[in-house]
Structure formats: structure tokens, C-alpha cells
Amino acid sequence: MDINQWSQHIFDDLQVLAGLKVLGLAVSATAVYKLAGLVLRELVFVPKLTILRDVEDLHKPRKDGKIPGRVIICGGRWVVRVPLIKLLLTGDVNGTTDPFASSVGGMLAAAVCADHFESVTVVEPEAWANEHGSEMPERRDYRTTNAGHKIIQPPVHMALSRLFTDLSKQLDHFGFSHLVTVMRLKFRYGGVYTEDPITDMTIREGVPLGFSLSREGIETLIRRSLKHGRSNVTVRTGTVTRLVREGDRLAGINVRTEEGETFERGDLIIDATGPTQFAFNKGLTAAGFTVPRDSRVEYDPGMKYTTGVWTIPEHVLAAWPVPGGFEPGVIINMTADASTGETKAFYLLAMENNQMSITTGGWNGARSAHSMIEVRAYVQSLHGSENLPDWTWALFNLLQDHEEECQPFYVDVKVGPLNWIKWQAVKDLPSNFIAIGDAVMKLNPVYGESVCLPL
């Protein structure tokens, strides 16, 4: 049978023809479905729900030169949830921006603003950050906010790389370069391992990169990058005491320093005061603006957790039982699982300088661990712990045997109420005011990474 006869036979057979039509419709529907998904992803979801498109515009020179004026950033922890990058790129803001920083959000805001304004002033409440904050101390002064770890996810790594073109140089300066690897989260829900799509740690091109650092490490890295990369940013040590109104705008801020209280004039004021949420709690109201109390919605999960930081000696690293050795990043990640009623979480991460953090805790009265004996009992109580690999328990044995020489210290944190200030719904706001980071939203640490929030 030649091709013509074969084709005629198919067209004469009604059942075959019907089957071909169904197959054709299925193929067409699949193609349309995939094409629609691609269009929705690239034109709707990615640009509207992520920062990936905005990241591409970071650190681009303005066509008409920088905006005359000064930005003031209030740091330490300070407000409207406006997409900062998009706002500044449009040039709609006239004048100076004042960031109040000491928070990661304040420093990132300063870097962005410095690319668009002639002058940026960061008001930093802690003198050590201004004087010594761009170098890691030989002996860490552990504060509650600095004892934890930060997983720098790929979008944040992309943003930092765009904002600071010498990021790799600064990573080298601190000896952090080896920490930048393929992003692996190693999620375990109910003890069941969800495998990461890429596991080869040697790949560096065309893959999502991230790194894991202590809170102190990421703050110092960003502060040094800002200091060396933005000559038009100045940092002033002081405490913001008041927002000063001028018509429907803010004229500037009052700052209390060792010499007394002074007025700082600014064209754009940014609240980066973090959980203290200065502008919402008193700053704007005291300046004569009306901010309804119900603009902030909150809930209290009754959450608390404990982070233990260990320094692992070389001879202990030599016996490390985890496959691949002491690799930077996540070692174990057991997230609370609502479907099983599990309210506790467990995280074990490798950080800089042979340090490792162990985090235990959750909500509904979850008890945290303060020793390896307690860590073992805690993990055994988690739903799905029977599915953990054997090396988990071997690691616990190793750490327990060398606990004293690893000199772990533990910091207990009570999270408190989590909230979202709906600045977009507040009618009476100064036209030159922005809030970022925790001054807009305090995230549940189980479900969100605060370093991502300002971006």
C-alpha cells in the first residue's frame, strides 16, 4: 500500500478519522494551554507579583541626570507600601530622600536612592554601625537581632549583584565567596523530603544562586558595599524624634544627637525603622496627619523560637557525617505543616566562619531546645522524624560529643504580633513619604524572609 492508498484508507475509516480529530484537538488544546501559561507568566505574574523585572532596572543611570534634592532614611527599624524601585524610576518624586537606617531595608533604600538623587542621608541610631559597622568584629557582640541566620534567596542575590557591581569583591574581602552556591532549600514537610531541582553545587552559570549568612554578616556586607559604592550617601548617628510638616508634605525630621536636637531638611522621607514602625505609631500623627488605627491589621500566633549558634572546629568538620561535607547553606529544613497539625519547625544551617545555626520553635506553646540532648528529643517529637536520613542522628551524636568545645550559645525570641499596615488605604499622607520593610509588614519568620521584604 503506497502513501496515497494509506491516506485514503484513513479518510474512509470514520473511526480512525474521529480518533485523529480528538488527537488533534488534544494537541491543540495542550499547545494553547502552554502558550497561555507562558504569556500569563511573562506578561502578568512575573512583572506584577515578583521583583524579577524590577531587578533588571536597578543601578541604571537616569537619562536626565539625578534628581536635585536630598533623601532622608530613618533607620534602626521605621512608611507607604509603595514599590520603591518603580517609584524612583518614574521620577515622580521631587527633591531629597531621607532614609532612617540601621535596618537592611534602610541600607538598600539608600543604595537605590543614591542612584536617583543628588544626596542621601541615613540617620543611624547606633554609633558602632557608623564607625565600625563595615567590618566584621573579631569577637562578635551577640545581640538578639543578630544571632539568627539569613537565607539570601536568588531574587535577593540578583538584586544585590545589580545594586553593588563590586559585590563579588566585597564577598572576597570577608571570605564569603564560597558561600554563594546553587540555591537548595531541602524542604521536608511531615519529614518527607522535597528534592531540589538542582543539586550540583559546582554549577555557577545559568542557575539560581543564593547564600546563607548570619544576620550580622549580611548587614555588614551590605553596609560595606554601600559605603564603597555610593559616594553621595552620608550616615549620621542620631535618633529621629519628630517628623516636621510643611503644607501637605514633610519638610524634614528632627534628630537627637549627643550635641542636642537638630532639624534635617529633606525632600523625600523614608521610614525604615522596622518593627518599631515609628511613622505609624506616632510620627505622622504628631506631625498633623490622620492615620486611622484600623489601617494596621494584625494577629498573634503565640510564636517563639530559639536559635543556637555553634562554631565547629576543624577536627569535628573532618568527621562531618552529612553527605557532601560541611557545605554552606541548608542542612535540614523541617517546616511546620498545617495539614498534619504540626506547629513546630526545625532548621539547621551552615554559615560563614565554620558556624552553624540550630533553630527550634513554633507556636501554640512549642518548647525550644537549648542543648543537643534537648535538640534530639525535640526532633524526635516532630511529625515525620522517622523519615529523616540516618546521617541526621549521626550528626546529633557528633555534636553532642563535642558540644562543650563548640561553645554554642542560645538566643530566645518571642515573635509577638505580626501585622500589615495598609498604607495604600490611608488618605491623609504626605506626598513625599515612603515606608519600607517591617515598617509596612512584620512577616511570620516561618513563611517569609525579612531581607526580601524591602525589595
Side-chain angles (χ1 to χ4, degrees):
M1 181 182 296
D2 60 24
I3 186 67
N4 292 326
Q5 292 175 319
W6 182 77
S7 300
Q8 188 61 46
H9 175 73
I10 289 177
F11 286 114
D12 289 341
D13 191 323
L14 296 180
Q15 287 186 334
V16 173
L17 192 60
L20 288 175
K21 288 181 178 180
V22 171
L23 179 62
L25 287 172
V27 171
S28 299
T30 301
V32 170
Y33 173 78
K34 290 191 174 183
L35 179 61
L38 179 63
V39 171
L40 282 172
R41 170 185 165 81
E42 296 302 319
L43 299 183
V44 179
F45 296 144
V46 170
K48 291 186 177 296
L49 302 179
T50 77
I51 65 171
L52 296 179
R53 295 291 182 269
D54 299 323
V55 165
E56 297 171 0
D57 291 325
L58 286 172
H59 203 43
K60 284 186 177 180
R62 299 182 64 84
K63 294 180 180 179
D64 301 325
K66 293 185 177 180
I67 302 171
R70 181 188 185 199
V71 177
I72 297 178
I73 300 175
C74 306
R77 306 290 189 252
W78 242 74
V79 263
V80 204
R81 183 57 186 255
V82 175
L84 179 61
I85 297 172
K86 289 184 177 179
L87 176 66
L88 296 177
L89 289 174
T90 63
D92 290 341
V93 182
N94 296 314
T96 301
T97 307
D98 292 337
F100 320 179
S102 130
S103 62
V104 168
M107 291 187 286
L108 294 176
V112 172
C113 291
D115 292 335
H116 297 274
F117 290 84
E118 289 182 347
S119 172
V120 177
T121 298
V122 178
V123 179
E124 165 63 67
E126 300 185 70
W128 69 267
N130 190 13
E131 298 167 1
H132 311 290
S134 58
E135 294 293 343
M136 293 287 286
E138 293 183 8
R139 184 179 185 279
R140 291 181 59 173
D141 177 19
Y142 294 106
R143 299 176 300 160
T144 300
T145 57
N146 279 357
H149 54 264
K150 294 295 175 185
I151 301 174
I152 306 304
Q153 298 181 24
V156 179
H157 178 261
M158 292 167 57
L160 294 178
S161 299
R162 292 285 302 186
L163 272 178
F164 306 114
T165 55
D166 66 341
L167 181 66
S168 59
K169 177 182 177 181
Q170 302 305 336
L171 287 166
D172 286 340
H173 173 81
F174 293 113
F176 293 165
S177 296
H178 71 287
L179 300 176
V180 181
T181 62
V182 173
M183 188 76 257
R184 298 186 302 169
L185 295 178
K186 300 184 180 179
F187 277 125
R188 279 181 168 83
Y189 288 104
V192 178
Y193 178 54
T194 303
E195 188 169 352
D196 290 289
I198 302 171
T199 58
D200 187 347
M201 298 284 283
T202 64
I203 303 175
R204 291 297 186 93
E205 300 293 333
V207 294
L209 297 176
F211 55 95
S212 180
L213 272 177
S214 63
R215 170 71 191 218
E216 185 175 55
I218 189 61
E219 282 187 9
T220 306
L221 174 64
I222 294 176
R223 188 178 290 110
R224 180 180 173 85
S225 299
L226 179 66
K227 179 180 179 180
H228 288 263
R230 301 295 191 280
S231 60
N232 59 333
V233 174
T234 58
V235 180
R236 182 170 186 192
T237 301
T239 302
V240 178
T241 60
R242 184 182 171 213
L243 301 179
V244 180
R245 181 170 184 166
E246 188 175 77
D248 63 349
R249 297 166 55 86
L250 292 175
I253 62 173
N254 282 1
V255 180
R256 184 173 61 245
T257 67
E258 291 183 352
E259 292 76 32
E261 189 155 318
T262 61
F263 171 71
E264 296 283 342
R265 178 169 290 278
D267 301 295
L268 174 62
I269 311 297
I270 298 180
D271 178 358
T273 55
T276 60
Q277 299 178 334
F278 174 78
F280 178 85
N281 285 325
K282 65 176 183 178
L284 288 174
T285 302
F289 294 94
T290 303
V291 182
R293 294 294 92 187
D294 60 4
S295 301
R296 181 169 64 189
V297 295
E298 64 181 29
Y299 76 102
D300 189 348
M303 185 177 184
K304 57 184 179 180
Y305 63 90
T306 295
T307 296
V309 177
W310 295 53
T311 301
I312 313 298
E314 290 293 339
H315 69 277
V316 177
L317 292 178
W320 204 251
V322 181
F326 191 80
E327 295 178 336
V330 179
I331 300 174
I332 297 177
N333 181 353
M334 295 186 71
T335 300
D337 186 357
S339 64
T340 64
E342 180 58 80
T343 62
K344 302 188 297 294
F346 174 64
Y347 308 105
L348 200 157
L349 288 92
M351 302 184 296
E352 74 273 15
N353 301 325
N354 291 351
Q355 291 181 330
M356 180 190 70
S357 70
I358 299 177
T359 300
T360 57
W363 47 85
N364 290 343
R367 296 186 63 181
S368 300
H370 297 80
S371 69
M372 273 314 302
I373 291 178
E374 292 183 1
V375 167
R376 183 191 299 273
Y378 176 93
V379 173
Q380 288 174 335
S381 73
L382 297 177
H383 178 83
S385 62
E386 67 277 6
N387 297 322
L388 289 172
D390 292 340
W391 59 256
T392 305
W393 312 109
L395 175 60
F396 290 172
N397 291 337
L398 178 68
L399 294 174
Q400 186 172 334
D401 290 342
H402 298 276
E403 186 163 2
E404 184 175 349
E405 59 185 308
C406 290
Q407 298 181 327
F409 73 92
Y410 297 87
V411 175
D412 298 318
V413 177
K414 185 177 180 180
V415 175
L418 306 170
N419 59 53
W420 172 29
I421 301 174
K422 297 183 178 181
W423 290 107
Q424 74 279 8
V426 178
K427 305 298 184 182
D428 185 25
L429 283 177
S431 58
N432 60 334
F433 167 77
I434 300 174
I436 63 170
D438 287 342
V440 177
M441 180 184 295
K442 292 173 61 178
L443 288 172
N444 186 319
V446 168
Y447 298 114
E449 187 61 72
S450 61
V451 175
C452 305
L453 185 56
L455 295 168

